[in-house]
Amino acid sequence: MSEELHNNVISSEFFENQDRIEREKMYDFTVAANALLKSLRLYGAGNDTVEKNTEKMNETLKFFFATDSFFDFTFNGNDFMLNDVRVRRKKGMNISFEEMENFFIELQIATIIFQKAGGVSEIVEFMLTGQEIIKSNSKLDTRFAQFEQRLKNKGIKIQITQRDSSGGDDLFNILNKSQLARLTYRNMILDHSMFKTKIRENRPMPLKKAMRNIQNAIDLICDGSS
């Protein structure tokens, strides 16, 4: 095997492994977020189960915050997406994400933007605040505004975007225009800077990520979140 071919094989295997690890971490984050949210609802802060789930959440956060100062967590009515990539459910696993799904739906949220500066303690406060609004039995169409205002009042840096219900579909499969623009911008502009840096430094180019970003942008423009 030539040296060039050997290097290409190594590069291919490296990026395939990186992609697999990334997807596993996305799944782990979704499981951890769902478990933490459920334990907070059942037991409240300070419980041993809550503490264990908080630690698990903190461990998953380290992966995503290792290189980025924020990441996006979206529910489009069918699937969760982390940084615009669909979270794959593991075959044969019966773990339900119902708790997290209900959180998004009850509060009319499309996307949650987690900030590195806040850490896991802020996520706990974020979840508790959302649950308080859900328990208040306020009108569904007022909850997002209430939640957003409370986050602002508490100084919580986690951001939220509202679901688009203009089509009257309870599953809100289509993202609103501002959400569409933001996701497309992240894919095509922010990552483009990273690609250029790797090229300048003669480092391996993540072609699978670049191709996935282009495909995501096309899907978003043509079909909304589907």
Side-chain angles (χ1 to χ4, degrees):
M1 182 183 296
S2 68
E3 183 178 351
E4 181 179 358
L5 180 59
H6 177 69
N7 289 336
N8 287 338
V9 170
I10 292 176
S11 297
S12 176
E13 290 178 350
F14 172 78
F15 288 118
E16 286 178 3
N17 287 335
Q18 287 296 102
D19 187 63
R20 176 181 55 79
I21 292 171
E22 182 182 12
R23 289 189 177 277
E24 286 181 355
K25 292 296 183 180
M26 290 193 300
Y27 176 82
D28 291 343
F29 171 82
T30 309
V31 171
N34 190 79
L36 177 57
L37 187 61
K38 185 174 183 178
S39 62
L40 284 169
R41 179 177 61 81
L42 293 175
Y43 309 115
N47 179 271
D48 288 343
T49 301
V50 172
E51 291 298 323
K52 290 178 181 178
N53 287 332
T54 301
E55 290 176 8
K56 290 179 181 178
M57 170 65 91
N58 194 39
E59 285 300 313
T60 63
L61 289 174
K62 291 178 182 178
F63 177 83
F64 299 104
F65 287 147
T67 55
D68 295 314
S69 59
F70 69 92
F71 67 90
D72 307 337
F73 191 49
T74 301
F75 179 61
N76 65 12
N78 295 300
D79 298 305
F80 284 103
M81 293 184 290
L82 203 152
N83 285 343
D84 315 330
V85 181
R86 182 172 65 87
V87 177
R88 293 179 179 176
R89 299 177 188 255
K90 291 187 177 180
K91 294 180 180 179
M93 298 290 287
N94 295 320
I95 294 178
S96 170
F97 297 148
E98 183 178 0
E99 195 80 26
M100 202 74 237
E101 290 173 0
N102 288 341
F103 189 82
F104 273 87
I105 294 170
E106 292 289 341
L107 294 168
Q108 303 285 283
I109 297 171
T111 293
I112 301 171
I113 306 169
F114 293 106
Q115 307 285 344
K116 183 176 183 179
V120 70
S121 60
E122 189 172 74
I123 292 176
V124 170
E125 185 63 27
F126 170 84
M127 291 180 171
L128 286 172
T129 303
Q131 288 176 339
E132 288 173 3
I133 294 174
I134 293 172
K135 291 177 182 177
S136 70
N137 293 321
S138 56
K139 290 183 179 180
L140 191 64
D141 59 359
T142 67
R143 291 179 184 175
F144 180 87
Q146 291 180 47
F147 193 26
E148 196 170 42
Q149 186 60 50
R150 289 200 193 181
L151 295 178
K152 183 178 179 180
N153 292 343
K154 292 183 177 183
I156 295 175
K157 299 178 180 65
I158 297 171
Q159 300 172 22
I160 51 176
T161 65
Q162 190 169 11
R163 54 160 281 191
D164 176 22
S165 58
S166 59
D169 187 349
D170 290 338
L171 293 179
F172 53 95
N173 289 323
I174 299 175
L175 298 176
N176 63 34
K177 291 180 180 179
S178 62
Q179 178 73 357
L180 171 61
R182 189 185 58 75
L183 294 178
T184 304
Y185 179 86
R186 178 182 174 83
N187 284 349
M188 304 306 294
I189 305 299
L190 298 185
D191 283 343
H192 181 63
S193 176
M194 179 267 289
F195 296 147
K196 289 196 299 183
T197 299
K198 287 183 179 294
I199 292 172
R200 290 195 193 100
E201 297 175 356
N202 198 27
R203 294 162 58 194
M205 179 70 175
L207 293 178
K208 289 185 67 175
K209 181 176 178 63
M211 292 171 64
R212 187 173 66 201
N213 283 358
I214 293 171
Q215 185 61 58
N216 283 342
I218 293 171
D219 289 344
L220 286 167
I221 292 169
C222 295
D223 304 317
S225 64
S226 63

